[in-house]
Amino acid sequence: MKIRFLIFFSLELFSLGTSNAQSSSAIYKQLQKLNFLGSVLYLAAHPDDENTRVISYFSNHVLARTAYLSLTRGDGGQNLIGSELREGLGLIRTQELMAARNVDGGLQYFTMANDFGYSKNPEETLSIWDKEQVLDQTLSRIQQFKPDVIINRFSSDSGGRTHGHHTASAMISEWVFDQLQNDENAWHPQRLFHNTSWFFYGSRENFERTSKKGMLAIDMGVFDPIAGKTNTEIAAISRSQHKSQGFGSAPSFGERIEYLQLVKGKQLSQNDPFEGINTSWTRVKGGATIGEAVQKIINGFDFSAPYKSALALVEVKAMLDQLEEEHWKQIKIDEINKIIIACLGMEVQFNAGIPFGVKGEKLPIKLLVNNPSPVSVKIEKAQWLDAVLDLNKTLGQNQLFSKNIDTNITATISSPYWLLESGTPGMYHTKNKDWIGKANTPNPYVAAVIFSIEGKKFRAVLPLQYRTTDPVRGEIVTPFEVLPEASLKLNTPVILFAHGESRKVKVTVKNLGPSTTGTLRLKAPQSWEVAPSSVTIKLQGKGNEVDYYFKVKAPQKSTVGILKPSLVSDGQSINFSLQEISYDHIPKQYLVSPASAKIVALNLKMGVKKIAYIEGAGDLIPDALNALGVEVEKMDAANITLERLNNFDAVIVGIRAFNVKEALAYKNKILWDYVAAGGNLLIQYNTSRRLKTNELSPLHLNLSRDRVSNEKAGVKILNPNHPILNQPNTITEEDFEGWVQERGLYFPNQWDSKFTPLFEMNDEGESPKKGALLVAQFGKGRLVYTGLSFFRQLPAGVPGAYRLFFNLIAKP
């Protein structure tokens, strides 16, 4: 797998560590947590696999240090809020996990496993992932995190009954647990549980009849009077951060039993996963007095004046500095630093004057500190990279301290460590082994600001950030990014040509620094012609962009190649494109990829000029069709009328539209009338669950979970003479070469006899599936339902997918 994306993002969601204002109740909860030395690691395969009730319960009720290890970043899933897929979607889902953890109090980790798409069994999963690497990385994370308890979301004996990634995650967890137990020098987790439920038993009735021996039954619907919320309320807010997957949740009230089935480790006699595990300060040599001191602070905490605890806390911090044991020492030092600042109500900001910059550019920075408390606090110094700024300033009560700092950008381009190198379909790679498992690449601009109270030191650690004010959303805080000097953008990721056709191709150059000069070229395969050979450019002004045009001529035969723009400036070659990913629930990200477009010369007949596209969950098919000169009008389902639809050659219903568009529960009748009157309707795949209506077609159609996940699976054409396979393009089995990720998903398994199935396909070892593409005459028109994943194939420039797709929408 070639390097495809470099992605820029924040260390934390929006501004963790910048605004430290917390309620007294929140500070009190952190003080209680300071006195609990136990940890839980929850483990599964993807973002949104985690049970947020369990994570929130252990983090906020038990007060354990709790983390979620997701083996992948969810790159192979689907997107309900936009058109990003693969690495772009993995970026969004990574940040949604960070948002969820900011709500439920957990930490977030990963391995380098790539979510390559749906897998039907763990054997396939582990043959595509590098099994030994994922094992080693999971083992390394457990050695570093040192959990007392591990909880798997899935069971190792569920192969064939759930996603292969799910089962593989449990198998890996169990293998690692056994390996650690057999190594006397390793960390030994005490217990491994499976967070089981009725789902794993087929039905609620089956689960009710099952013996619960060996299971802990814990009510995780408890009310937290300090937070003022039930655990299920916190968990629902956390779960709702997975917006790209449509997992908005409402809290359930009352008793909520979660079952933890002991899989490995010490047996239990009580309903407590920490039974027999020392979670007090006495587990650390020299820690008993620290526990007593913290308890004294808790007992004397003044909710109306939390700053009164600050001096005692810096004294405990000094005690922590003297400990020999490193693991809990460093964890609790980080915790107590944040608690001290929260008690004082201090605001500490490390702000950039520009949202992004390029290497060598001037970077204005402002350090802001405000201490609203009556406690005398001295700011000693600030340090970042190799810079040390001695300040030696006593902060007056509620008097803002401000220090302007001018520097030049020396850091290299901010990049996600898992995408810097070539990987494989199953694994990402990095040379920086210290970063493996981290949610994000460590920010190079991180300041440590040292303070003292009566000579005893504490500190704030915070990344460089940019602040702006939106007239609707208010203040928005984003990480400062280091970007390339300029970005190059082709007007579409896939350009289709007829044999011998010449087309104008636009390259947009955007200046990201103060100015950009150089020579722009457009490189094509040898059989293609490009003119002119180069263009001289000169751009002034940060953010300015100019369009340049090249004439590209295709060869007289079918071929696929890559078109690559490059800008040579000051002897350096720049070939990055830049895309902003912006959603309200996560920080803005800059997604940078090598600038390129797939160019395809093929014998394609379209037979259609004007299309209505009824939007579903979001995909790039309208853009792909627009790029070919087809007029595409996007419509919201709520606004369709028969009169409007009658103006189009074809109507396409976007992916998962019947899952996400409420209006299709009653507007679907307009679609049926359109077909009956002679229209051409193409309905793309929907999932079998959470449908807004079961009437997906005017003819009977029953969706299943049938899918063909192997993109190379053989395809048998059932009726080669069918008109839709011959007009305007003749479709053969060769048109299924080069498909990506999968053939299709959620195929119908029952349908009206008026439907004609056109293809038969299946994954290895499974029965043939005929529901991938169904065609029927309805009234005077043509109705097509397909589970084939055109939403992946067209943006990827798969020639045969284009030929087949246009046959489906061309006038009969």
Side-chain angles (χ1 to χ4, degrees):
M1 181 179 66
K2 296 182 179 179
I3 301 174
R4 287 175 284 178
F5 293 91
L6 307 176
I7 306 173
F8 305 91
F9 49 83
S10 66
L11 276 170
E12 290 92 8
L13 178 67
F14 292 99
S15 57
L16 184 64
T18 58
S19 179
N20 298 288
Q22 293 186 40
S23 67
S24 293
S25 59
I27 297 171
Y28 186 75
K29 175 62 71 72
Q30 293 304 310
L31 283 171
Q32 290 180 314
K33 201 162 190 173
L34 191 62
N35 243 8
F36 189 94
L37 280 68
S39 52
V40 175
L41 181 68
Y42 201 90
L43 192 150
H46 310 110
D48 76 42
D49 281 348
E50 82 277 24
N51 186 336
T52 54
R53 281 188 299 274
V54 176
I55 291 175
S56 178
Y57 176 82
F58 279 102
S59 177
N60 298 304
H61 185 74
V62 178
L63 304 178
R65 185 171 184 252
T66 308
Y68 175 41
L69 173 56
S70 176
L71 297 189
T72 77
R73 295 174 186 267
D75 324 71
Q78 292 149 49
N79 186 356
L80 280 178
I81 61 173
S83 57
E84 297 87 356
L85 293 173
R86 291 303 313 158
E87 282 81 0
L89 177 59
L91 169 62
I92 292 171
R93 298 187 74 184
T94 294
Q95 297 307 314
E96 288 178 337
L97 275 176
M98 297 296 288
R101 299 295 81 78
N102 282 341
V103 171
D104 59 37
L107 301 170
Q108 184 61 53
Y109 300 108
F110 298 91
T111 72
M112 299 289 278
N114 185 355
D115 178 5
F116 55 83
Y118 191 83
S119 176
K120 292 186 175 179
N121 58 71
E123 291 75 24
E124 179 193 45
T125 297
L126 295 172
S127 71
I128 297 176
W129 289 351
D130 186 317
K131 173 184 169 182
E132 295 305 318
Q133 278 195 48
V134 180
L135 276 169
D136 287 345
Q137 290 168 18
T138 303
L139 186 147
S140 178
R141 177 54 52 201
I142 291 173
Q143 287 278 58
Q144 293 176 48
F145 188 73
K146 293 180 168 47
D148 298 300
V149 172
I150 299 173
I151 302 174
N152 291 342
R153 184 56 175 132
F154 299 101
S155 169
S156 62
D157 63 2
S158 61
R161 291 183 285 119
T162 183
H163 198 318
H165 297 181
H166 294 166
T167 307
S169 71
M171 293 167 65
I172 286 168
S173 179
E174 291 183 24
W175 290 334
V176 169
F177 187 91
D178 289 340
Q179 185 173 338
L180 290 170
Q181 303 309 310
N182 294 326
D183 184 351
E184 62 181 16
N185 296 317
W187 173 256
H188 293 166
Q190 298 298 297
R191 295 185 179 96
L192 174 67
F193 293 96
H194 170 216
N195 179 200
T196 191
S197 70
W198 67 265
F199 172 82
F200 297 94
Y201 291 80
S203 69
R204 297 181 188 276
E205 293 75 19
N206 288 344
F207 189 56
E208 288 297 322
R209 292 192 295 266
T210 298
S211 170
K212 305 301 189 293
K213 185 178 180 181
M215 294 186 196
L216 302 186
I218 303 174
D219 179 10
M220 296 190 182
V222 293
F223 178 72
D224 184 348
I226 295 176
K229 290 183 173 65
T230 65
N231 185 62
T232 52
E233 287 180 285
I234 297 170
I237 298 170
S238 174
R239 182 72 171 167
S240 296
Q241 303 309 307
H242 294 296
K243 300 184 188 303
S244 66
Q245 303 304 293
F247 282 119
S249 301
S252 56
F253 295 99
E255 183 181 70
R256 185 70 187 202
I257 301 297
E258 289 290 343
Y259 293 92
L260 303 181
Q261 184 172 28
L262 184 64
V263 178
K264 293 179 181 290
K266 294 182 178 180
Q267 295 299 308
L268 291 149
S269 61
Q270 302 173 26
N271 202 45
D272 177 11
F274 279 98
E275 179 187 335
I277 300 173
N278 185 358
T279 59
S280 73
W281 271 103
T282 59
R283 78 182 296 173
V284 175
K285 182 181 178 181
T289 55
I290 294 175
E292 294 169 0
V294 172
Q295 190 58 51
K296 185 176 180 180
I297 295 171
I298 293 171
N299 294 340
F301 184 72
D302 187 341
F303 281 82
S304 64
Y307 64 83
K308 293 180 181 178
S309 297
L311 180 58
L313 284 166
V314 294
E315 290 172 347
V316 173
K317 162 68 168 51
M319 296 166 66
L320 285 168
D321 290 335
Q322 302 306 310
L323 290 176
E324 296 178 9
E325 194 269 1
E326 286 298 324
H327 177 69
W328 283 109
K329 172 184 176 179
Q330 192 55 55
I331 290 169
K332 295 304 179 181
I333 284 175
D334 291 343
E335 287 182 13
I336 205 167
N337 276 323
K338 294 173 183 176
I339 296 171
I340 293 167
I341 292 171
C343 282
L344 295 167
M346 287 177 60
E347 184 73 18
V348 187
Q349 296 180 7
F350 189 49
N351 296 330
I354 53 178
F356 58 82
V358 304
K359 192 171 183 178
E361 185 178 4
K362 289 183 179 180
L363 173 61
I365 296 175
K366 179 173 285 189
L367 175 65
L368 295 177
V369 182
N370 187 53
N371 171 29
S373 78
V375 178
S376 178
V377 177
K378 185 178 182 181
I379 179 170
E380 304 266 355
K381 60 183 178 181
Q383 54 193 46
W384 66 94
L385 295 178
D386 296 327
V388 178
L389 190 65
D390 290 317
L391 299 170
N392 196 29
K393 172 74 174 178
T394 299
L395 304 174
Q397 182 176 1
N398 214 27
Q399 297 299 303
L400 179 66
F401 171 82
S402 175
K403 180 70 176 179
N404 291 318
I405 307 159
D406 289 324
T407 187
N408 290 323
I409 298 172
T410 58
T412 57
I413 295 173
S414 309
S415 307
Y417 64 88
W418 65 93
L419 295 172
L420 283 174
E421 301 174 35
S422 296
T424 67
M427 296 297 297
Y428 293 120
H429 292 160
T430 180
K431 291 177 182 176
N432 195 322
K433 305 305 180 185
D434 293 337
W435 291 354
I436 291 176
K438 294 181 182 295
N440 298 315
T441 304
N443 193 318
Y445 287 97
V446 176
V449 186
I450 313 301
F451 302 96
S452 64
I453 298 175
E454 295 187 6
K456 294 181 174 62
K457 296 180 181 180
F458 63 99
R459 70 177 189 167
V461 178
L462 56 157
L464 184 63
Q465 296 173 313
Y466 174 74
R467 293 170 180 266
T468 187
T469 303
D470 182 271
V472 176
R473 297 169 61 194
E475 184 181 60
I476 298 173
V477 184
T478 55
F480 174 77
E481 311 290 1
V482 181
L483 301 182
E485 177 184 342
S487 67
L488 313 176
K489 181 183 178 183
L490 290 155
N491 52 323
T492 178
V494 177
I495 310 173
L496 272 65
F497 294 76
H499 292 170
E501 181 186 9
S502 294
R503 299 184 63 177
K504 275 188 176 182
V505 173
K506 181 174 70 175
V507 180
T508 302
V509 181
K510 184 173 184 177
N511 179 43
L512 301 175
S515 64
T516 299
T517 60
T519 302
L520 178 67
R521 291 184 173 86
L522 189 60
K523 300 177 182 178
Q526 194 169 13
S527 58
W528 297 69
E529 298 176 17
V530 178
S533 59
S534 65
V535 176
T536 300
I537 70 164
K538 185 174 183 180
L539 285 175
Q540 298 287 334
K542 195 178 185 76
N544 287 342
E545 58 185 33
V546 174
D547 296 335
Y548 298 91
Y549 292 88
F550 293 83
K551 184 179 179 181
V552 179
K553 184 178 181 180
Q556 293 289 344
K557 61 179 181 179
S558 296
T559 184
V560 176
I562 300 296
L563 203 59
K564 296 180 180 179
S566 67
L567 173 63
V568 177
S569 177
D570 295 328
Q572 300 293 318
S573 180
I574 301 170
N575 65 343
F576 295 115
S577 68
L578 178 69
Q579 176 189 354
E580 292 186 10
I581 296 179
S582 182
Y583 294 98
D584 287 352
H585 67 298
I586 57 176
K588 177 189 287 186
Q589 339 274 305
Y590 296 97
L591 189 154
V592 176
S593 63
S596 67
K598 181 181 283 189
I599 45 177
V600 182
L602 78 164
N603 179 19
L604 174 66
K605 299 175 183 177
M606 294 186 288
V608 64
K609 294 181 179 179
K610 192 175 182 182
I611 294 169
Y613 201 91
I614 300 173
E615 295 179 288
D619 61 72
L620 293 173
I621 288 178
D623 296 338
L625 301 180
N626 265 323
L628 290 172
V630 177
E631 183 182 343
V632 181
E633 182 175 334
K634 296 181 182 179
M635 291 186 180
D636 188 281
N639 298 326
I640 63 173
T641 64
L642 184 59
E643 290 73 22
R644 291 185 68 188
L645 297 184
N646 283 335
N647 294 320
F648 296 94
D649 299 332
V651 174
I652 303 172
V653 180
I655 62 172
R656 299 175 74 171
F658 284 91
N659 295 114
V660 299
K661 298 298 182 180
E662 298 280 355
L664 285 178
Y666 56 92
K667 287 281 189 173
N668 54 358
K669 304 298 189 300
I670 296 174
L671 298 176
W672 315 157
D673 290 343
Y674 164 77
V675 180
N680 188 17
L681 177 65
L682 169 62
I683 303 172
Q684 297 182 86
Y685 98 98
N686 294 271
T687 66
S688 56
R689 294 182 295 178
R690 298 185 180 182
L691 288 165
K692 303 303 180 184
T693 174
N694 290 319
E695 192 178 347
L696 310 181
S697 158
L699 302 174
H700 171 66
L701 193 70
N702 182 72
L703 295 186
S704 72
R705 297 179 64 83
D706 289 347
R707 63 200 302 156
V708 177
S709 58
N710 182 357
E711 67 273 22
K712 298 179 181 179
V715 177
K716 179 180 179 181
I717 298 178
L718 298 175
N719 187 352
N721 297 321
H722 194 284
I724 207 168
L725 297 181
N726 291 278
Q727 299 171 3
N729 305 290
T730 300
I731 303 302
T732 70
E733 292 179 1
E734 291 182 1
D735 288 300
F736 287 91
E737 295 177 0
W739 283 48
V740 298
Q741 186 158 325
E742 63 198 358
R743 290 295 189 199
L745 62 173
Y746 291 96
F747 296 163
N749 61 355
Q750 296 176 18
W751 50 82
D752 189 284
S753 60
K754 292 180 181 178
F755 275 116
T756 299
L758 296 183
F759 301 121
E760 180 178 282
M761 60 188 73
N762 58 274
D763 284 321
E764 185 177 358
E766 295 188 352
S767 61
K769 309 292 189 297
K770 295 183 178 182
L773 181 64
L774 304 173
V775 184
Q777 187 77 22
F778 183 76
K780 297 179 180 180
R782 185 172 70 191
L783 171 67
V784 178
Y785 187 94
T786 183
L788 293 172
S789 59
F790 289 107
F791 72 101
R792 296 194 192 278
Q793 312 312 319
L794 299 195
V798 178
Y802 273 95
R803 287 163 46 81
L804 175 57
F805 194 84
F806 274 102
N807 277 26
L808 303 183
I809 60 175
K811 287 185 177 181

